[in-house]
Amino acid sequence: MKIVRTIAELRAQLRGQLRTAFVPTMGNLHEGHLSLMRLAARHGDPVVASIFVNRLQFAPHEDFDKYPRTFQEDCDKLERENVYVLFAPDERELYPEPQEFRVRPPADLGDILEGEFRPGFFSGVCTVVLKLFNCVGPMAAVFGRKDYQQLMIVRRMTQQFALPCEIIAAPTIRENDGLAMSSRNRYLTPTERAEAPRLHRVLREVESRVAGGIADIATIEADATAALVAAGWQPDYVAVRRRSDLKPPSAADLTAAEPLVTLAAARLGATRLIDNLEIER
């Protein structure tokens, strides 16, 4: 695996490659990330990964400085997955001057759910993803379904800017007890780690009630939120939304079996976890 630090080196290394598959990450890689590399290898060749902790998507009070950085371990894992190039720029390389030009998703998609509780987050994501796409020039890029709203926003940005890149959605990889794999899971204490799978169980209960025909979505959401609060969580949201645009479903949507998804974000101690589950009806 070749490790490159500059955009010029990256472009030189990839010159003439027309089927590059790309997986952007912030490092601290786990099995979920590695599954993205394997999926990328089925959709292109060579596979390029990036590691860059993007300051633009962190609010001032969030954990940018504490975000776990495990570069050598990450390199070892990527090498075992036969990744061809790892692009690992520092901030001065990717942002040599203040990044005053930003990509801002539409408010009706970018300012809800995660965007409501993390203002500016999706603008930071879109800006760095567009910049990375311009550096790598991929034919395909892989993003995980665990970040459901992010996946949707990146896909729409790619479509609206007519970027020659297919966005591949990868399934959420879970621990044996149902907890979605995440770099932030390492922040959990042993007691919190034992409690953390409750988030997935709550979403499964929401799915069960909606799939069972209960149409009072507000009550289902409130009950799920209350279940988390009773167990010591601090929920930001538990929501049932349309898969197509993440808007709340209408009565007609429920009658017509509109495809739905349930999404949640909640703090357990100092750690904020997110998860989602597509509802099968």
Side-chain angles (χ1 to χ4, degrees), residues 189-216:
T189 67
T191 300
E192 291 166 348
R193 175 61 187 83
E195 168 63 23
R198 185 183 302 275
L199 187 62
H200 182 54
R201 294 200 300 271
V202 165
L203 290 181
R204 289 179 62 186
E205 175 64 19
V206 170
E207 179 195 27
S208 176
R209 295 180 71 184
V210 175
I214 298 176
D216 187 352

Side-chain angles (χ1 to χ4, degrees), residues 174-238:
R174 300 184 180 276
E175 304 287 357
N176 291 336
D177 56 10
L179 177 65
M181 290 188 180
S182 169
S183 296
R184 289 189 168 92
N185 290 350
R186 68 166 52 197
Y187 295 155
L188 297 167
T189 67
T191 300
E192 291 166 348
R193 175 61 187 83
E195 168 63 23
R198 185 183 302 275
L199 187 62
H200 182 54
R201 294 200 300 271
V202 165
L203 290 181
R204 289 179 62 186
E205 175 64 19
V206 170
E207 179 195 27
S208 176
R209 295 180 71 184
V210 175
I214 298 176
D216 187 352
I217 298 299
T219 295
I220 293 175
E221 292 172 342
D223 289 349
T225 300
L228 290 172
V229 170
W233 295 67
Q234 297 174 282
D236 285 341
Y237 58 84
V238 179

Side-chain angles (χ1 to χ4, degrees), residues 81-145:
E81 296 299 331
N82 297 314
V83 169
Y84 175 61
V85 171
L86 170 61
F87 181 42
D90 62 20
E91 280 194 286
R92 288 174 297 179
E93 178 64 22
L94 211 55
Y95 301 130
E97 57 188 63
Q99 187 68 38
E100 295 169 342
F101 285 86
R102 303 286 182 97
V103 180
R104 188 178 186 279
D108 63 349
L109 184 58
D111 292 349
I112 62 172
L113 301 171
E114 284 297 284
E116 177 183 351
F117 290 92
R118 302 184 68 189
F121 171 71
F122 287 119
S123 177
V125 168
C126 287
T127 300
V128 77
V129 168
L130 181 59
K131 197 159 194 175
L132 288 169
F133 280 5
N134 285 334
C135 295
V136 176
M139 180 191 74
V142 180
F143 291 82
R145 288 186 183 274

